[in-house]
Amino acid sequence: MAIEVRLLGHFEVRRDGAPVPAFPRRDAAALVKVLALAPGHRLSCERVADALWPGLLLDEARPRLHKAAHFARRGPGAPDAVVLRDDAVALFPGAGIAVDVERFEHSAAAALTDGDPAACAAAAALCPGDLLPGEEFEQWTQEPRDRVRRHRLAVLRAAGRWDDVLELEPADEQAHLALLRAAVAAGDRTGALRRYDRMAQVLAAELGVQPGEEARALRERVLGARQDPAPPTTRLLERGEELRRLTDVVDGTLRSGRGVVVLVGGEAGSGKTALLAALLDRVRDRIGVLRGGCDDLLAPRSLGPFRDVAHAAPGGALAAALAAGGSADTVFPALLDLVGERPTLLALEDVHWADDATVDAVRFLARRVDELPLVLLLSCREDELGRTHPLRRVLGSVPGAALQRVPVRPLSVRAVAALSDGRADPERLHRVTRGNAFYVTEVLAAGGSGVPATVRDAVLARLAALSADAQDLVARLAVVPSRVSRTLAEQLAAGRLDPMVEAERAGVLGGDAGAVWFRHEIARAAVLSTLTPAELVAAHRTVLDALLAEPSPDPARVVHHASAGRRADVLLEYGPLAAGDAVRAGAYRQAAETLRLTIPVSGGRPPALQARLLADHAASLYYLNRFEEAFGSAGRAVGLAEGAGDDSLLADALIVLSKAAFWARGPLRARDAATRAVGLLAESGDDVRRASALACLARSHSNLGTLGIVAEPGAVCLGYAEQALELAEKAGSDEIRCQALFYVGSGRLADGDERGAADLEESIAVASGDPHLELRLRACVNAAGSAYRFGRFSDADRYVDLGLRLAEQCEFFAGEYKLKLTRAALRASEGRWDDAVGELRALLAAPGDPAAMGLQARSLLARLLARRGAHAEAAVVLAPALETPEARAEIFVAGPVAAAAVELAWLSGDDDAAPGLAEAALRRAAEVGHRGSRSELLRYLQRAGHDVAAPADALGPWAPALAGRPLESAAAWTALGERYEAAVERALSGAERDRGRTALAEMGAIGTLSRL
């Protein structure tokens, strides 16, 4: 049986060459379409349900899925047309299925790879129309529809079918330009002018821009006004290979429609900007060019380079998204539309200064670059991309074929000789400058008989030739670490143009019609170094006053100059605005830095203002994994809020304190803060704040802080979580509803109620609708830990994988750390100790402040090492955890650390030390009612040969073991999936001793075997 499915231009299914009758139900046809588009024509039931019934849970969608499959079989009259088996759905399994989309995309890929225009034309003929016309608004069609459209445009472009390209993309400047060139070359004056007019009308209407320089030159040539534009005269030495590589990358993207990330790296002054300028001169007539740069601000602008892009093309979706607050859910789609509508070279300069939101946007584009006609060119000083710079992770995640590195190396002696042209000794000049292109040009421009010892000296020698007025203007401009608009520059020049013209003619400044800039950041830094502290403050204040005179000044720029200019009043006004912009964009590092600059100048201001700044600072630090700092700021915020007499502000500060304390000190300290917040808000009528406080209180009673596989009872957590859920639903807050669902699910699973699994799924579904990735990531953190402690390892792995994929797109380090710690615990329970040890070592070596999580990671790693017989290394790993105050005060940390210490003592044969190591933690566990830690410690004391009375409230598999029933305990451990503890209990029993020892040997538990 041969099945053919047509999705391009129209929908049709043919069986053995004959059309199948129309499907009797719309959802049956949709099911066939979804499966036809799927790889291997097979999907999980969950994926199908998400596509066709996105508002329903899987269990709710199953009846609809079965009904749709039933009617899908009736169309072709084949009982195996759609088969549901093993929680998956397949279309005609076992039959040969030909789908026109697959045939077209395969042919397009082959033709584009070969670069054969005739093959591209033949491939284009296989796509007679759009994918599934009439279903443009079905979410599941969007990605394949966009992909087909991109491939279709790519083969039409490669085939030179420019009129067909314009049918699909009326604003495609490349197509308009090609048709205009052809008309001019053919001597068709009337046709050329018509082509130009049509191009101008469409570009103005669709993009709000005018035709480019080449198009205007061609029109003027036709009109007899001028000849072709002169070629660029920039002299670029020893950059031919780099320029050729970059040009080939652009041409490759134009041929294939597939994008690439290019990293142009080199030291400051190596010539990266000149190389980029030469590239743009060479390719701008055949690819759209967008350009932006990152700034060396004290707290960089959120999405700074993309704001430059939007400023150059006002009125578009990107500009609107940035003006509306710059959140990822609006900016990222706008970026995708901007670079996906036509072949584009997006050049982002100085990305070593990129803010977090810019890094997120680069990550977003880089992960999709293979599907876009985009050359994403990043220039940077690679020596400033340290090991922990977030861009390192972004670049590491780009597939090898999609990442090109183009290093810009120092000039050779020969190139220096060519540049000097007899004006200096090339050998000496090369030796002093080390071939740094900018340094060389500055030395030559400065003149004189000698070679300045430093590039600073060379820059200042050129500056010395300027008039006093020009030098004053250059000094003011030097405090602006970015391009300066002409309007602002003229204000700084007091309306006089002569000093600016002089500086530009001398080569100190560069510029165009809209802006001026230093030819290089090194030059700006050299000028800055000549200013006294008083002159610096005065220059910053001059720039600040000019910025404040603008209608809508950029808050981040205002903050930079207000801080350096010692203007506390302006800093207090604009600091919170800039921090708010950064938080909305997900740039928590910039928010924290902005508030760090603002808080010191708030002294003497109303306590309420200081408390708000500190609470916001703590919230940003929390997202950055800097828990100790967050805890300190939140604590100060609480103290000031208490003095302000504002219960709402105090509750906000306590809520932030609870979040920070959870990891900085532990759940018990978090519980104290949350309890206070709940009490303050009890009669407030503020449902959103009450729900948030209750969710924090539920969290402090949950098992989120627990590392081990045995869960504490969840009734108290569940009670607070259900209250939070009710209030969140009443207030319409999806964020708090999602958080409450975490803890409802966690509490239910802890008490053996399997409905908790559905609650966790619902929490993730709710989080998926939130624009902030951090909420989705938190949902995965909670779901992974709860599933692990309920023995649902496959679910836990699924949540961990999903969460880590989300973590690649944002900077929520705390969530990422917790997910990896959960994965390490999973692998340890499964007996996959190599994986667990590797994960834990990486976590302990990672930068940041994981606080309590780091202590838990140490305790688990030490136990695994000791079980393998590496007693000395285990002791070294555990020692720092034993010395921290949290290891004594907070049972969620003290319990795991003490259990590790007792197990290490038992495995090393130091049984007498075990009681002393367990004493403090046992006492603390009894005080706070933490049954899991108490049960575990008592069982390990038994294993060390100490008489222990079995407590009546012993928890989980520890209970039968403490009561002398090791095989019952082993069975309970096996049910949870915990291999090691099950094997130890069997080895300690008489009946299954050999079975237990065999399992320990398989795991590599040499240390445990020698002790037993």
Side-chain angles (χ1 to χ4, degrees), residues 375-633:
V375 177
L376 178 57
L377 190 151
L378 311 173
S379 77
C380 73
R381 303 177 188 173
E382 283 209 79
D383 57 340
E384 294 195 24
L385 284 187
R387 184 175 66 88
T388 62
H389 197 292
L391 266 174
R392 288 287 183 197
R393 293 182 60 189
V394 175
L395 297 171
S397 68
V398 179
L403 176 63
Q404 299 282 332
R405 294 179 182 268
V406 179
V408 181
R409 297 182 174 85
L411 297 174
S412 68
V413 174
R414 179 179 297 178
V416 171
L419 283 172
S420 64
D421 195 24
R423 288 176 290 167
D425 177 355
E427 293 278 357
R428 184 182 175 209
L429 182 57
H430 183 270
R431 184 171 61 254
V432 173
T433 64
R434 298 184 180 180
N436 182 282
F438 179 76
Y439 192 174
V440 171
T441 57
E442 287 300 302
V443 169
L444 295 174
S449 57
V451 178
T454 67
V455 68
R456 175 183 179 275
D457 296 331
V459 171
L460 297 182
R462 187 193 290 225
L463 185 67
L466 298 179
S467 67
D469 287 344
Q471 289 189 42
D472 287 345
L473 173 62
V474 168
R476 294 191 199 102
L477 292 173
V479 302
V480 184
S482 59
R483 295 187 173 213
V484 184
S485 70
R486 284 276 175 192
T487 303
L488 177 59
E490 289 171 9
Q491 289 182 12
L492 297 178
R496 298 176 55 213
L497 296 182
D498 290 349
M500 199 179 314
V501 171
E502 182 185 352
E504 288 182 17
R505 283 181 172 166
V508 175
L509 299 177
D512 58 22
V516 295
W517 55 84
F518 281 86
R519 289 182 55 249
H520 199 281
E521 180 65 18
I522 294 176
R524 188 180 75 85
V527 175
L528 273 180
S529 70
T530 67
L531 302 181
T532 67
E535 288 171 329
L536 280 171
V537 170
H540 278 291
R541 288 181 175 176
T542 301
V543 174
L544 179 62
D545 290 340
L547 282 174
L548 292 175
E550 295 180 350
S552 300
D554 185 325
R557 293 192 186 283
V558 172
V559 165
H560 176 81
H561 295 292
S563 178
R566 305 293 190 269
R567 285 286 301 275
D569 56 332
V570 178
L571 191 55
L572 285 170
E573 179 182 355
Y574 281 87
L577 295 177
D581 286 346
V583 167
R584 282 187 291 275
Y588 295 107
R589 196 186 317 275
Q590 281 64 51
E593 182 60 19
T594 299
L595 292 167
R596 185 191 68 79
L597 295 172
T598 306
I599 288 167
V601 302
S602 68
R605 305 293 172 129
L609 171 62
Q610 298 180 60
R612 175 57 63 194
L613 292 172
L614 284 162
D616 290 346
H617 188 229
S620 295
L621 291 169
Y622 170 76
Y623 284 117
L624 294 170
N625 227 34
R626 292 159 63 179
F627 302 122
E628 193 64 36
E629 293 173 78
F631 180 75
S633 285

Side-chain angles (χ1 to χ4, degrees), residues 161-344:
R161 299 261 295 273
W162 301 114
D163 283 313
D164 291 333
V165 169
L166 291 178
E167 285 286 328
L168 286 174
E169 190 60 75
D172 190 297
E173 192 170 3
Q174 181 189 5
H176 282 292
L177 196 54
L179 291 168
L180 177 58
R181 287 196 202 105
V184 172
D188 182 1
R189 184 176 186 276
T190 301
L193 293 175
R194 284 178 179 168
R195 288 286 185 192
Y196 180 88
D197 288 344
R198 182 187 175 195
M199 178 184 189
Q201 290 170 4
V202 171
L203 292 180
E206 296 284 334
L207 304 177
V209 299
Q210 297 179 348
E213 183 179 348
E214 183 184 356
R216 296 195 301 271
L218 289 169
R219 177 178 181 272
E220 291 173 9
R221 193 170 90 182
V222 169
L223 294 172
R226 56 179 280 191
Q227 298 300 313
D228 285 331
T233 58
T234 303
R235 191 179 189 191
L236 203 64
L237 293 177
E238 293 189 336
R239 298 293 182 254
E241 175 61 22
E242 291 87 346
L243 187 58
R244 182 195 64 75
R245 283 187 61 193
L246 292 171
T247 306
D248 287 348
V249 167
V250 171
D251 290 340
T253 293
L254 290 172
R255 285 195 306 271
S256 68
R258 295 194 183 99
V260 66
V261 178
V262 183
L263 184 70
V264 176
E267 68 175 357
S270 59
K272 301 182 292 296
T273 301
L275 177 62
L276 175 58
L279 173 68
L280 297 186
D281 284 339
R282 178 174 289 193
V283 304
R284 70 169 66 249
D285 65 331
R286 56 187 188 269
I287 191 169
V289 173
L290 302 171
R291 189 174 183 180
C294 302
D295 306 322
D296 187 20
L297 295 171
L298 294 174
R301 296 177 297 158
S302 301
L303 297 165
F306 300 104
R307 295 182 189 276
D308 293 343
V309 170
H311 181 72
L318 178 60
L322 290 168
S327 63
D329 60 319
T330 56
V331 170
F332 288 6
L335 269 178
L336 203 59
D337 289 344
L338 184 64
V339 302
E341 62 189 9
R342 60 175 179 162
T344 301

